[in-house]
Amino acid sequence: MSSSMLHEHAYTLLQRFADRLDQIIVGKRKEIELTLLAMLSGGHVLLEDVPGVGKTLLVRAIAKGIGGSFGRIQFTSDLMPADITGVSIYRPNSGEFEFRPGPILSNVILADEINRAAPRTQSALLEAMEERKVTVDGVSRRLPEPFLLLATQNPLHFEGTYRLPEAQLDRFLMRISLGYPSVEQEVRLLGLQEQHPLERMHPVLLAEEVAAMQRQVRTVTVDDSVKRYMVAIADASRRHSGLALGISPRGTLAWMTAAQASAYFKGRMYVLPDDVKAVAGAVLPHRLLPSAEARMSGRTAEELVRELVLGTAVPVSSRAAAGGAS
């Protein structure tokens, strides 16, 4: 099968997957698609919201939809790093240590209420998120492919929460908030409770198909003019008077990968400026730190991102901008 045929097949499967998820997480199509873009990018997602809006359900539905293994880590104040990565147990009969894998060694991980654990435990995720491996007793073990971590976080004013360090926040490709449904959406949701929502989800993709899609996403063309457009926004963030911390080069790389996934999800093998703008609100704000003056005046990172995007000229002369890239 040719590369173009593989992409057409992937496009059909991805749209079907999004449709299935949309039947379970009612009225959140945009957030569903962003989460799938993170999956295609090989990145991780921080779902930040109040309890009870469907964060856990979304993660479990994605795991079921790709037919992959699922691991859940409930973060509490007494959670230890070994509870995440696994532990070596001595077997007297054999006189050897046997490794018992932790939940992190799964395709899809739900890190539930991640900011209820102490920073030391949160840091146990960094190696897995960045290097796709865990090290226990000096032995490194690769994580399965694909590997997708979706962490839920309660607002900081909730009791028993810790602020995630900036280095860990930067490891999340996207930060997404589901929010409350509208009145009509909630009425529809109540009408779907005759059976558990997950009973309506069946595998749409195979785990190995997701891994193949992730490799294809990396081949999506990004024209130099689009790259310069992104770098211009990143550079402007570093000089913006309302920001104490701008977009890092790692943030720009993550942004480009998300834009490639956006194009791929829409059936294209080239990135348009619209793809760049479509993912900016999920990829950039948690990587920025508004200045003290901006915070005092009530300006948020999300507002500053919109200002940066609107204030930067969109390329119009490139093949990608014209929709003519091959």
Side-chain angles (χ1 to χ4, degrees):
M1 188 180 291
S2 68
S3 177
S4 61
M5 290 179 66
L6 281 171
H7 184 217
E8 290 175 9
H9 178 63
Y11 171 77
T12 301
L13 291 177
L14 288 168
Q15 298 304 315
R16 186 182 304 164
F17 194 9
D19 291 342
R20 291 272 182 89
L21 291 170
D22 198 22
Q23 295 170 10
I24 294 172
I25 312 297
V26 177
K28 300 299 175 184
R29 181 73 181 212
K30 177 183 176 181
E31 291 77 10
I32 287 168
E33 291 188 357
L34 285 170
T35 305
L36 293 182
L37 296 187
M39 179 187 75
L40 291 171
S41 303
H44 310 295
V45 179
L46 183 62
L47 296 167
E48 188 175 51
D49 222 323
V50 296
V53 293
K55 302 186 296 294
T56 301
L57 182 60
L58 174 60
V59 181
R60 294 186 68 92
I62 289 174
K64 195 170 181 181
I66 68 170
S69 56
F70 172 75
R72 176 172 181 162
I73 308 167
Q74 184 64 52
F75 280 71
T76 58
S77 59
D78 59 350
L79 189 74
M80 300 297 292
D83 297 324
I84 296 173
T85 59
V87 64
S88 294
I89 300 175
Y90 181 71
R91 298 297 185 188
N93 293 338
S94 63
E96 297 179 348
F97 284 92
E98 178 183 318
F99 177 66
R100 179 175 292 177
I104 197 71
L105 289 155
S106 304
N107 293 118
V108 180
I109 308 298
L110 170 60
D112 208 6
E113 297 185 305
I114 188 174
N115 59 334
R116 289 198 182 278
R120 179 187 173 209
T121 302
Q122 292 171 1
S123 67
L125 291 175
L126 289 177
E127 183 185 27
M129 295 172 69
E130 185 69 15
E131 300 180 32
R132 300 298 198 274
K133 67 178 183 178
V134 294
T135 303
V136 179
D137 296 332
V139 179
S140 294
R141 292 174 172 85
R142 298 296 303 176
L143 299 177
E145 290 188 357
F147 174 71
L148 173 65
L149 185 140
L150 298 104
T152 69
Q153 175 174 252
N154 292 328
L156 286 176
H157 63 269
F158 277 43
E159 286 190 31
T161 59
Y162 297 83
R163 181 178 294 277
L164 295 180
E166 285 75 9
Q168 187 170 357
L169 277 175
D170 197 44
R171 270 26 178 227
F172 287 100
L173 176 66
M174 296 183 183
R175 184 177 66 182
I176 300 172
S177 177
L178 293 181
Y180 289 115
S182 68
V183 172
E184 293 77 12
Q185 291 165 353
E186 194 162 3
V187 169
R188 180 187 164 198
L189 180 65
L190 294 177
L192 297 174
Q193 297 309 302
E194 294 179 358
Q195 62 178 162
H196 193 281
L198 284 177
E199 293 179 14
R200 297 193 297 273
M201 173 57 74
H202 303 285
V204 179
L205 299 169
L206 299 175
E208 51 266 32
E209 287 180 316
V210 176
M213 290 177 187
Q214 290 175 341
R215 290 190 290 271
Q216 268 204 313
V217 163
R218 298 286 181 172
T219 69
V220 172
T221 300
V222 186
D223 191 84
D224 283 348
S225 65
V226 177
K227 293 176 183 176
R228 290 184 180 279
Y229 172 57
M230 299 175 71
V231 171
I233 294 173
D235 182 64
S237 75
R238 299 162 194 161
R239 296 180 286 103
H240 197 289
S241 60
L243 289 168
L245 182 67
I247 303 165
S248 69
R250 180 164 59 191
T252 311
L253 285 168
W255 188 16
M256 186 181 75
T257 304
Q260 288 174 297
S262 174
Y264 186 85
F265 183 84
K266 295 171 184 174
R268 282 183 276 102
M269 289 300 289
Y270 55 91
V271 172
L272 296 178
D274 282 349
D275 298 307
V276 172
K277 292 187 284 187
V279 297
V283 175
L284 300 182
H286 65 285
R287 292 182 160 86
L288 302 176
L289 180 63
S291 65
E293 293 80 3
R295 294 196 301 271
M296 287 179 64
S297 61
R299 302 179 75 189
T300 65
E302 288 76 10
E303 292 172 353
L304 291 166
V305 166
R306 287 193 292 270
E307 183 179 309
L308 287 165
V309 172
L310 289 173
T312 305
V314 178
V316 294
S317 60
S318 70
R319 291 181 305 154
S326 58

